[in-house]
Amino acid sequence: MPNIKSAKKRVKVNKVKALANKSRNSELKTAIKKATIACETNADNKVEAVTYAIKRVDQACSKNLMHKNKAARKKSQLAKMLNA
């Protein structure tokens, strides 16, 4: 356990941010998985699922959970899946 006041605060802040990042990452992965399944099974809601997944990818990129090139690659893969 740190002794310095600012270090103690960093521990608390890092814990809160880690929880938020874990939640966002989990939601992102779920959205991508649902979009993938919807495209593979040719479901009626595949357009909505892909649109939602792309939105989540953009949000993850803006929150620095994902690198911008990885985000662009994921969006491209989702669009390619939708159009196939």
Side-chain angles (χ1 to χ4, degrees):
M1 192 66 192
N3 295 325
I4 299 167
K5 187 177 180 181
S6 61
K8 288 178 184 176
K9 182 179 179 182
R10 290 271 25 112
V11 169
K12 287 181 185 177
V13 170
N14 286 340
K15 194 179 288 186
V16 170
K17 287 193 182 271
L19 270 174
N21 287 342
K22 191 173 185 180
S23 172
R24 285 192 187 110
N25 257 329
S26 176
E27 192 173 353
L28 170 69
K29 288 179 184 178
T30 304
I32 291 172
K33 201 177 290 184
K34 283 183 180 178
T36 305
I37 291 170
C39 287
E40 286 174 354
T41 59
N42 205 13
D44 297 333
N45 67 336
K46 70 179 181 179
V47 176
E48 293 86 26
V50 170
T51 306
Y52 181 74
I54 288 174
K55 178 181 173 186
R56 286 286 163 209
V57 168
D58 281 333
Q59 287 176 342
C61 182
S62 71
K63 297 285 183 185
N64 291 325
L65 289 177
M66 184 184 281
H67 192 270
K68 64 177 183 168
N69 291 357
K70 183 178 179 181
R73 190 171 65 241
K74 276 286 174 203
K75 286 164 51 176
S76 175
Q77 289 170 348
L78 287 166
K80 192 175 178 183
M81 238 187 291
L82 180 63
N83 294 330

